[in-house]
Amino acid sequence: MSDEWQAAGGTDPAFTARAAFRVAPWLTGVADEMIDRLAEQSVYHRVPAGSQLFEQAEAAGFAIFLAAGRVELLALRGKEEALVEIVSAPDFLLPAAVLCRRP
């Protein structure tokens, strides 16, 4: 995690969705009004390690903004499991799937 992410409170349990959006590098040019609108539509969840957030090929109903920690993206074929990618905060998961309404 970056120093500015930690300084903004990225590991603090009281960290807000708006604060997370404001320190995400790719959202620095977005106007405060748009960040406010995005934060108003957001739900901030803390999940324990090992939780399954979504299933492969599941239609995405919402994007996930990873505010802290990391997520392992796994592919399954039968009983075989393979690590596809490790996503670390801050980052988005599923934005293209949500925008395109696809799995």
Side-chain angles (χ1 to χ4, degrees):
M1 272 185 244
S2 71
D3 292 337
E4 66 184 24
W5 181 251
Q6 292 212 0
T11 58
D12 181 346
F15 197 48
T16 66
R18 188 189 190 292
F21 296 144
R22 192 34 67 210
V23 297
W26 55 90
L27 295 176
T28 56
V30 175
D32 284 338
E33 296 80 23
M34 185 58 71
I35 294 293
D36 289 340
R37 288 183 62 198
L38 184 59
E40 287 169 4
Q41 299 298 314
S42 300
V43 177
Y44 193 82
H45 289 280
R46 291 178 56 95
V47 295
S51 296
Q52 183 173 325
L53 301 177
F54 55 89
E55 295 215 15
Q56 178 178 313
E58 180 179 27
F62 53 88
I64 297 172
F65 180 82
L66 183 59
R70 67 182 194 173
V71 171
E72 294 177 347
L73 300 177
L74 304 172
L76 299 173
R77 179 183 280 172
K79 293 185 180 191
E80 293 181 36
E81 182 177 275
L83 177 64
V84 175
E85 184 176 3
I86 296 175
V87 179
S88 298
D91 208 343
F92 274 109
L93 301 169
L94 307 173
V98 172
L99 292 173
C100 297
R101 297 185 177 144
R102 303 287 307 216

